[in-house]
Amino acid sequence: MLAGKRIVLGVTGGIAAYKAVEISRRLVDAGAHVVPVMTAGAEHFIGATTLSALASEPVKTRLWDDPDTPIPHTRLGQGADLILVAPATARVIAAYRIGLSTDLLTNVLLATRAPVMMCPAMHTEMWEHPAVVDNIAALRDRGVHIVDPESGRLAGGDTGAGRLASPEVIVAAVQRLLSPGDMAGLRVVISAGGTREPIDAVRVIANRSSGKQGYALAAEAAERGASVTLVSTVDLVAPPGVAVQRVETAAEMQSAMERLAPVSDVVVMAAAVADFRPVTAVDRKLKKHDGVPQIVLEPTPDILAGLGARKPRRQILVGFAAETDDLEANARRKLDEKHLDMIVANDVGAPQTGFQHDTNAVTIFSPDAPAFVVPLADKRTIAAAVFDRVVSMRVSAHPT
Ligand code: C5P
């Protein structure tokens, strides 16, 4: 519920501006006080009267609208619990990234300490333009909450990525951000990325895991109030508030996980751990003229199975499974054999899922429960679905 929350809803000039009316209505229905701010561009797409009617106050458009409040940008920003920009055009994203204030909305964005959530909407070419990609990455690094656009029909009959996320998704993201974290007080450890097993001083056996799913899990858990440590093999930017323990090999990951897991309430093994490693790593570079080397492999320890065997009571242990066939049978077998509470299985052969993509599609299995399918979505949405289930598992295991 959003009772008592004050949300400045910034609406910029895109065809999706009409959806801001529905977003405003839903936020007001959930109890929020919505203060609408429209840019000059937005006024070309929707009437201020419509938005005013479904918000909590009349629309504000200019810095000098209100004779009683000559500097509304500071008042609006200071009093807000959230600044939500939906839709956010490439222009407002760029202006906010570089700190350029040209109108009431950009002034409000700069004159606030409230969290900011931006919901981009634009044509695919614009969304994928390196300048926009770069601006979005910079804003994310700064802690701005970005609700990724969807793929679908765009203005002018085109189809592709860039359509504003649906009002349901946007309002759910707002609710998650503003409600007291349902993971507050929980200690969570998450492994991310693929391990690298040395062959010699320069070569490794690696895999294609990008670590993106693990980082999305960490960002989600931290935002829901958990205290999160990532045990990671990759150098992605750590989500705000997340501690990172950098590791390289399965052995290093094992010792970090075994140190952190016993004091954690939730453990997620999202890393792609090598199953085999060279028995010995040569400490110099193997030379081509010495001939083709014989690399003898040995199995790595199954970190997750070890954590399952020593799982403290009340801990929730989550594994991942990348499968190419017999998804359910393989996932349920691992769930059972490794003593897991949940396994998140993805079909790595399917389009847009798994390694290196920004999206994933998974099926979540837990003992004695039907499979729960999360269709193709960004990795943050997958993370939210995983932790929704973790939270409900804890509640049903230990009702208050
Ligand atoms: O059995 P499989 O390797 O498919 O299981 C995948 C799960 O086990 C993942 O959660 C992965 O992080 C974990 N794993 C592990 N140690 C290994 C191999 C996999 O913890 N050596």
Side-chain angles (χ1 to χ4, degrees):
M1 274 317 208
L2 296 171
K5 299 292 180 193
R6 200 176 166 87
I7 299 173
V8 172
L9 173 61
V11 183
T12 65
I15 192 79
Y18 76 95
K19 292 191 192 166
V21 178
E22 175 67 9
I23 293 167
S24 180
R25 187 188 66 74
R26 285 173 183 258
L27 292 172
V28 170
D29 284 353
H33 183 95
V34 177
V35 184
V37 172
M38 278 167 67
T39 61
E43 290 181 90
H44 289 293
F45 291 94
I46 55 165
T49 320
T50 316
L51 185 57
S52 295
L54 291 164
S56 314
E57 293 185 14
V59 163
K60 291 162 183 51
T61 51
R62 271 163 271 281
L63 278 161
W64 321 110
D65 274 351
D66 182 353
D68 299 331
T69 319
I71 44 167
H73 60 288
T74 48
R75 184 184 63 75
L76 290 179
Q78 281 164 350
D81 294 297
L82 174 70
I83 316 291
L84 171 67
V85 186
T89 53
R91 181 194 71 83
V92 81
I93 290 166
Y96 184 40
R97 192 244 165 123
I98 59 169
L100 186 68
S101 60
T102 50
D103 56 10
L104 178 58
L105 179 59
T106 44
N107 270 276
V108 171
L109 281 166
L110 296 176
T112 189
R113 293 209 166 90
V116 172
M117 183 178 282
M118 291 200 137
C119 311
M122 62 198 77
H123 254 70
T124 310
E125 291 85 346
M126 287 176 91
W127 175 241
E128 292 176 354
H129 191 285
V132 176
V133 170
D134 197 41
N135 287 337
I136 289 284
L139 291 182
R140 271 195 223 274
D141 287 357
R142 226 184 263 166
V144 175
H145 304 272
I146 305 287
V147 180
D148 282 330
E150 300 171 347
S151 282
R153 268 198 56 208
L154 301 166
D158 295 339
T159 306
R163 189 171 72 177
L164 183 70
S166 70
E168 297 91 303
V169 168
I170 294 172
V171 173
V174 169
Q175 273 176 325
R176 264 208 311 279
L177 188 66
L178 292 185
S179 16
D182 58 0
M183 295 180 71
L186 294 185
R187 281 156 305 175
V188 178
V189 58
I190 299 166
S191 67
T195 63
R196 278 184 285 274
E197 310 300 331
I199 296 170
D200 67 10
V202 295
R203 302 178 181 93
V204 294
I205 296 179
N207 63 63
R208 294 184 195 280
S209 172
S210 64
K212 288 178 183 170
Q213 184 65 71
Y215 276 66
L217 286 155
E220 176 70 16
E223 204 166 285
R224 290 165 81 147
S227 140
V228 184
T229 305
L230 260 171
V231 174
S232 169
T233 66
V234 293
D235 287 320
L236 298 176
V237 177
V242 170
V244 179
Q245 162 103 47
R246 190 68 169 70
V247 295
E248 183 91 6
T249 62
E252 287 169 11
M253 183 171 279
Q254 180 183 29
S255 69
M257 292 305 288
E258 289 184 348
R259 187 169 48 76
L260 293 161
V263 291
S264 297
D265 303 289
V266 181
V267 178
V268 185
M269 275 296 296
V273 185
D275 287 323
F276 305 101
R277 66 185 169 204
V279 172
T280 44
V282 179
D283 58 8
R284 59 187 170 83
K285 185 181 173 194
L286 291 168
K287 293 280 187 312
K288 211 170 9 183
H289 60 72
D290 290 338
V292 179
Q294 295 295 315
I295 301 170
V296 182
L297 300 178
E298 65 180 4
T300 54
D302 190 321
I303 305 170
L304 184 58
L307 298 176
R310 290 186 296 278
K311 189 164 82 77
R313 217 171 60 85
R314 297 179 72 128
Q315 182 182 80
I316 294 194
L317 181 59
V318 182
F320 270 67
E323 304 292 348
T324 50
D325 46 87
D326 276 344
L327 187 93
E328 173 142 16
N330 284 325
R332 286 211 184 271
R333 181 178 46 74
K334 287 175 194 175
L335 188 66
D336 184 47
E337 284 175 2
K338 302 192 191 196
H339 307 289
L340 310 181
D341 300 289
M342 191 186 299
I343 193 154
V344 183
N346 62 342
D347 175 355
V348 281
Q352 302 297 306
T353 69
F355 289 169
Q356 287 173 332
H357 292 294
D358 288 325
T359 49
N360 212 351
V362 302
T363 309
I364 302 177
F365 299 97
S366 352
D368 313 319
F372 181 81
V373 176
V374 190
L376 192 65
D378 62 276
K379 288 186 170 174
R380 184 61 186 264
T381 305
I382 305 285
V386 169
F387 287 126
D388 283 348
R389 299 187 75 72
V390 166
V391 168
S392 65
M393 247 180 198
R394 280 183 58 88
V395 171
S396 48
H398 315 287
T400 45

